[in-house]
Amino acid sequence: IVTVNVEIDPPEVTHRVEPRYTEGARFAKIQGVVILDLVIDTDGQVESIQVLRELPLGLTRSAVEAVGQWRFRPSTYKGRPVAVRYILTVRFTLV
């Protein structure tokens, strides 16, 4: 597993599931970001998720559950797919 850098083409999202705002977080008007450290495998699947920054009232779990369903075009190094560590920010904003 490598970290995305200038020599490695980053993964691209091909299927995205939006995280849901929980009712408690909406009522409390919570906004902000959840930061996740992902490992994306050579098939573009999310292999593991580690939470680096949380939000309260179920928003962190909502982000993890949604991102776990995302699919990516895998990262490549010299034209070959590689597993990568990728930092992803999930924003929660009330409209």
Side-chain angles (χ1 to χ4, degrees):
I1 300 171
V2 295
T3 302
V4 173
N5 61 49
V6 294
E7 295 179 356
I8 296 174
D9 294 324
E12 294 178 34
V13 177
T14 59
H15 174 74
R16 180 187 310 255
V17 174
E18 293 299 325
R20 293 184 181 187
Y21 242 104
T22 63
E23 288 303 316
R26 187 177 305 283
F27 181 76
K29 299 181 181 177
I30 302 294
Q31 297 187 92
V33 297
V34 173
I35 301 176
L36 304 174
D37 181 355
L38 310 178
V39 173
I40 301 169
D41 69 17
T42 57
D43 293 323
Q45 306 275 338
V46 177
E47 188 173 286
S48 68
I49 301 174
Q50 180 180 18
V51 177
L52 301 179
R53 181 173 181 183
E54 299 183 18
L55 284 176
L57 299 173
L59 293 179
T60 298
R61 181 165 53 174
S62 178
V64 169
E65 288 174 356
V67 171
Q69 299 175 64
W70 288 21
R71 298 298 171 257
F72 295 82
R73 181 171 297 114
S75 291
T76 57
Y77 176 68
K78 296 184 179 179
R80 303 178 109 177
V82 292
V84 293
R85 172 159 271 117
Y86 187 71
I87 305 299
L88 180 73
T89 301
V90 178
R91 296 186 187 284
F92 286 91
T93 307
L94 292 169
V95 285

